[in-house]
Amino acid sequence: MDSQQKNHTFSSEFIILGFGDLAELQILVFGLFLIMHLVTLAGHTTIVLITLIDSRLQTPMYFFLRNLSTIEIGYILVIVPNMLANFLSRNQRMSFLGCALQMHLFIALGGAECFLLTVMAYDRFVAICNPLRYAFIITRALCLQMLALACSSGFALSLTLTTLIFLLPFCGSHEINHFFCDIPAVLFLACSDTQANEIAVFLVCMLILLMPFLLILLSYGFIITAILRIHSVEGRNKAFSTCAGHLLVSLLHYGCAIFIYIRPKSCYTPEQDKIVSLIYTNVTPMLYPLIYSLRNKEVKGAVRRLLVTKQQPKAS
């Protein structure tokens, strides 16, 4: 690639096409997703606040849940505000570096979330399969170390992958047929051989998606076996209630991500990817707080206590 082509690559802008085919419904769609975005932020912020304030929720499980919601807030803020702006301006321009930064943060936060979900599965595995040693194994120091490892791994892998993708020449069309700078959509625009980059994407996705997901499934294999050995129905229900939310969230999160990212460039279908990504970045994050609270009596109790405290008049 000559110097002129390099300059063209790095000085150019990308055009985010978004959902141009929904021009007639853009105000309605904008309003719908704005409401979903606000509900999602409110749900995750509530989880962060109640797990910080309520003394009964100062346990490793809620420490990880609080940090998962914190990561989720950052994750959706990287994508959704730009998506909402795109509904109002049909073709949104984004600089080369802006697109690279968005992709880096999206992969980094998504990767950190994947690793943290695996850590949460390990926490549940120890709690149910080895309850007598739980307090000795899952210490505060270990929780902090696992959180730091999950976040640093996500950011390191993301930086490597984003750099490999944005070193490619984009000398043809700069129109990204998506609502954000997603990996397949940007890789599709490269005008050179991307086979090595596709292999790199596949290897990183193996590390971020497949391996953690298999570890989660393995953990739940042991967990389910341990739950079935509990003789009392009440004990089984209590053990299951602490795991059901995490398992459902993991299935939703990994299911959509694996569908989008673990496949070759030749299978890229822009319209289908946009719909799945729309669910992945808007619908499922909105469901996570609901899933965790519906089956978790401690979370529901903490929310009720918080509301009751706010409603009580202050003593004069």
Side-chain angles (χ1 to χ4, degrees), residues 3-64:
S3 59
Q4 184 178 0
Q5 192 178 23
K6 282 185 180 180
N7 290 334
H8 178 70
T9 299
F10 282 91
S11 63
S12 63
E13 290 182 328
F14 289 106
I15 299 172
I16 311 296
L17 297 181
F19 296 91
D21 51 340
L22 298 176
E24 297 178 358
L25 301 172
Q26 63 181 12
I27 300 299
L28 178 63
V29 176
F30 171 82
L32 175 63
F33 281 98
L34 176 61
I35 292 170
M36 290 173 62
H37 180 54
L38 294 176
V39 169
T40 303
L41 288 177
H44 286 289
T45 303
T46 300
I47 286 180
V48 172
L49 289 177
I50 62 172
T51 53
L52 277 173
I53 296 170
D54 198 296
S55 59
R56 302 183 194 184
L57 302 184
Q58 304 304 310
T59 64
M61 182 174 75
Y62 295 108
F63 169 80
F64 293 131

Side-chain angles (χ1 to χ4, degrees), residues 14 103 165 168-170 172-173 175-177 182-192 194 198 264-270 273:
F14 289 106
M103 181 184 289
I165 291 174
L168 289 168
F170 300 98
S173 172
E175 295 183 344
I176 298 176
N177 191 6
D182 200 8
I183 298 171
V186 174
L187 202 58
F188 187 74
L189 298 181
C191 56
S192 67
T194 61
E198 288 180 60
K265 179 181 173 181
S266 58
C267 297
Y268 174 62
T269 51
D273 272 33

Side-chain angles (χ1 to χ4, degrees), residues 194-246:
T194 61
Q195 186 175 0
N197 300 78
E198 288 180 60
I199 293 172
V201 169
F202 179 77
L203 292 175
V204 171
C205 288
M206 285 281 289
L207 291 172
I208 291 179
L209 295 173
L210 278 184
M211 288 181 63
F213 187 51
L214 291 175
L215 287 173
I216 289 173
L217 293 180
L218 180 63
S219 296
Y220 273 100
F222 289 111
I223 288 169
I224 291 170
T225 302
I227 289 174
L228 292 176
R229 290 175 182 165
I230 299 174
H231 297 295
S232 68
V233 175
E234 184 181 351
R236 283 199 298 269
N237 289 339
K238 184 178 179 181
F240 183 72
S241 67
T242 64
C243 300
H246 173 262

Side-chain angles (χ1 to χ4, degrees), residues 1 113 132 160 167 193 199 290 306:
M1 184 170 64
E113 186 174 348
L132 297 178
T160 303
L167 284 177
D193 183 15
I199 293 172
L290 190 63
L306 183 63

Side-chain angles (χ1 to χ4, degrees), residues 68-312:
L68 183 71
S69 283
T70 302
I71 290 171
E72 195 69 43
I73 289 170
Y75 176 82
I76 59 176
L77 287 176
V78 168
I79 303 298
V80 180
N82 281 339
M83 183 198 78
L84 292 172
N86 191 258
F87 282 127
L88 301 179
S89 58
R90 188 173 300 178
N91 292 332
Q92 185 183 19
R93 294 183 178 274
M94 184 176 289
S95 68
F96 182 90
L97 290 177
C99 191
L101 180 62
Q102 186 186 53
M103 181 184 289
H104 169 59
L105 291 175
F106 169 73
I107 300 170
L109 292 168
E113 186 174 348
C114 288
F115 293 132
L116 192 55
L117 284 169
T118 310
V119 169
M120 293 172 74
Y122 174 69
D123 172 70
R124 292 298 84 205
F125 164 75
V126 176
I128 292 173
C129 297
N130 202 352
L132 297 178
R133 291 183 53 80
Y134 179 78
F136 296 99
I137 297 173
I138 309 297
T139 61
R140 180 166 180 79
L142 181 63
C143 290
L144 291 171
Q145 289 168 7
M146 290 193 292
L147 174 64
L149 182 61
C151 293
S152 59
S153 299
F155 274 80
L157 289 170
S158 173
L159 183 61
T160 303
L161 185 57
T162 306
T163 302
L164 284 173
I165 291 174
F166 279 88
L167 284 177
L168 289 168
F170 300 98
C171 46
S173 172
H174 287 195
E175 295 183 344
I176 298 176
N177 191 6
H178 212 297
F179 56 88
F180 71 101
C181 293
D182 200 8
I183 298 171
V186 174
L187 202 58
F188 187 74
L189 298 181
C191 56
S192 67
D193 183 15
T194 61
Q195 186 175 0
N197 300 78
E198 288 180 60
I199 293 172
V201 169
F202 179 77
L203 292 175
V204 171
C205 288
M206 285 281 289
L207 291 172
I208 291 179
L209 295 173
L210 278 184
M211 288 181 63
F213 187 51
L214 291 175
L215 287 173
I216 289 173
L217 293 180
L218 180 63
S219 296
Y220 273 100
F222 289 111
I223 288 169
I224 291 170
T225 302
I227 289 174
L228 292 176
R229 290 175 182 165
I230 299 174
H231 297 295
S232 68
V233 175
E234 184 181 351
R236 283 199 298 269
N237 289 339
K238 184 178 179 181
F240 183 72
S241 67
T242 64
C243 300
H246 173 262
L247 180 59
L248 184 54
V249 166
S250 297
L251 290 173
L252 287 171
H253 182 81
Y254 285 100
C256 292
I258 288 171
F259 174 81
I260 294 173
Y261 300 113
I262 301 187
R263 55 181 177 162
K265 179 181 173 181
S266 58
C267 297
Y268 174 62
T269 51
E271 298 307 320
Q272 187 181 53
D273 272 33
K274 278 196 287 187
I275 297 300
V276 177
S277 294
L278 201 63
I279 296 170
Y280 183 61
T281 57
N282 289 267
V283 180
T284 54
M286 183 180 67
L287 295 177
Y288 293 167
L290 190 63
I291 291 169
Y292 276 115
S293 61
L294 277 179
R295 292 211 48 100
N296 195 308
K297 293 180 181 179
E298 290 178 324
V299 173
K300 288 189 286 187
V303 173
R304 280 196 296 268
R305 288 191 295 273
L306 183 63
L307 294 175
V308 168
T309 303
K310 284 190 173 183
Q311 289 173 1
Q312 287 176 347

